[in-house]
């Protein structure tokens, strides 16, 4: 059974009677343990698709099954509960609380899920350790570099042990060298069994994945495994950095 299954997914926005189709009958599966990039230019529909897959928005039509459950018509409270338990997010803008410690930022999903505070510390430190930033636990997030902030954001996405991590342009606010390091973290997480779905417009960033779904004008135009040639290009970029 696929972890993610979407069938004829469509999304239309209505702005004062003007209808705009953002997604048009999109269908695909993502299996547990895959690393998939969703790639396309601005306005292609990839961010809309990410928001629907991450339970931040609803489709206008079609079906979305997450771990076998049809989540297309769930109420808002049910969606929020499912989102916190099964999904981790990493955003381009980091979305950290600026005057809060690294530890407290990473702990937030556990607090929302009403986890016992006694168990929070080892889980938070384990998440920070997995991205190599445990030594910054008591720093305030506004004291960190861009790359460190993104590591904290990844740790926060991991702390609830989600079924899937969605990353929306995670290297967009980083220099190329730091971006490579962040993508290597995603590679490592995937090797350890985490399902990663990455949205990007950058070809090299997309090629860290095992599979690239290209979207244009709300439709899938290709869905292919990453070629060995692209993998070699990524490895060469790493060596240069």
């Amino acid at each position: 059974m696929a972890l993610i299954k979407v069938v004829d997914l469509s999304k239309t926005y209505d702005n004062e009677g003007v209808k705009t189709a953002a997604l048009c009958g999109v269908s695909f599966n993502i299996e547990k343990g895959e690393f998939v990039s969703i790639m396309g230019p601005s306005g292609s529909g990839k961010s809309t698709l990410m928001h629907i897959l991450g339970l931040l928005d609803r489709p206008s039509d079609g079906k979305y099954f997450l771990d076998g459950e049809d989540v297309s018509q769930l109420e808002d409270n049910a969606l929020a509960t499912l989102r916190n338990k099964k999904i981790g997010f990493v955003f381009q803008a980091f979305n950290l609380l600026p005057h809060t410690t690294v530890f407290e930022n990473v702990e937030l999903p556990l607090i929302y899920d009403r986890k016992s505070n006694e168990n929070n510390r080892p889980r938070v430190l384990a998440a920070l350790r997995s991205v190599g930033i445990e030594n910054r636990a008591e720093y305030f997030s506004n004291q960190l570099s861009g790359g460190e902030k993104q590591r904290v954001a990844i740790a926060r996405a991991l702390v609830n042990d989600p079924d899937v991590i969605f990353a929306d342009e995670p290297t967009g606010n980083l220099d190329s060298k730091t971006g490579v390091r962040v993508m290597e973290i995603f590679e490592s997480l995937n090797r350890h069994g985490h399902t990663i779905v990455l949205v990007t417009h950058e070809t090299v960033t997309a090629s860290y994945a095992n599979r690239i779904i290209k979207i244009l004008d709300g439709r899938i135009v290709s869905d292919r495994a990453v070629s060995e040639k692209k993998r070699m290009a990524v490895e060469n970029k790493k060596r240069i950095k």
Side-chain angles (χ1 to χ4, degrees):
M1 180 176 62
L3 177 60
I4 289 172
K5 179 179 181 180
V6 296
V7 182
D8 293 329
L9 208 65
S10 296
K11 180 67 177 183
T12 301
Y13 293 102
D14 191 336
N15 184 13
E16 298 181 354
V18 178
K19 294 186 176 181
T20 304
L23 292 175
C24 309
V26 171
S27 299
F28 60 86
N29 292 353
I30 295 176
E31 303 296 329
K32 186 175 182 179
E34 277 199 274
F35 187 171
V36 178
S37 286
I38 298 173
M39 189 179 176
S42 297
S44 62
K46 65 183 187 300
S47 292
T48 297
L49 179 57
M50 168 72 88
H51 289 159
I52 292 173
L53 295 179
L55 307 181
L56 297 170
D57 199 359
R58 298 174 181 273
S60 302
D61 200 5
K63 296 287 187 181
Y64 173 23
F65 297 90
L66 179 60
D67 202 18
E69 179 179 4
D70 183 357
V71 299
S72 310
Q73 304 301 323
L74 290 181
E75 297 293 331
D76 288 347
N77 288 342
L79 283 177
T81 299
L82 196 63
R83 185 166 58 241
N84 200 52
K85 287 184 175 179
K86 289 184 173 289
I87 293 172
F89 291 100
V90 180
F91 298 100
Q92 177 177 345
F94 317 129
N95 290 2
L96 302 180
L97 300 178
H99 302 294
T100 305
T101 67
V102 165
F103 183 97
E104 290 165 336
N105 269 281
V106 175
E107 188 183 27
L108 277 175
L110 300 177
I111 294 172
Y112 292 149
D113 201 29
R114 297 181 181 148
K115 300 289 187 184
S116 169
N117 288 338
E118 310 180 340
N119 300 323
N120 286 0
R121 186 166 186 81
R123 292 181 67 173
V124 171
L125 293 179
L128 290 170
R129 194 177 305 119
S130 71
V131 297
I133 201 166
E134 184 184 9
N135 62 328
R136 295 288 194 267
E138 301 307 322
Y139 280 55
F140 289 100
S141 60
N142 58 355
Q143 296 176 304
L144 304 179
S145 68
E148 288 172 332
K149 287 178 181 178
Q150 198 60 291
R151 287 174 184 246
V152 174
I154 296 170
R156 183 182 56 192
L158 283 170
V159 75
N160 247 355
D161 193 24
D163 289 350
V164 57
I165 296 172
F166 291 105
D168 191 359
E169 300 281 7
T171 62
N173 281 346
L174 305 175
D175 61 73
S176 58
K177 184 176 181 179
T178 305
V180 166
R181 290 173 179 166
V182 166
M183 291 311 302
E184 287 173 344
I185 290 173
F186 283 117
E187 278 187 319
S188 175
L189 293 174
N190 180 244
R191 284 195 299 270
H192 286 85
H194 291 279
T195 305
I196 311 287
V197 180
L198 169 76
V199 163
T200 184
H201 67 278
E202 298 175 348
T203 301
V204 172
T205 299
S207 299
Y208 279 84
N210 305 117
R211 172 184 166 202
I212 298 176
I213 298 173
K214 289 186 178 179
I215 187 167
L216 183 66
D217 296 331
R219 302 179 188 276
I220 292 176
V221 294
S222 68
D223 183 349
R224 299 175 182 170
V226 175
S227 69
E228 187 61 30
K229 182 177 180 181
K230 286 185 177 179
R231 287 192 180 285
M232 288 177 65
V234 169
E235 290 302 320
N236 288 335
K237 186 177 179 69
K238 288 182 191 177
R239 283 194 288 272
I240 291 170
K241 299 301 177 185

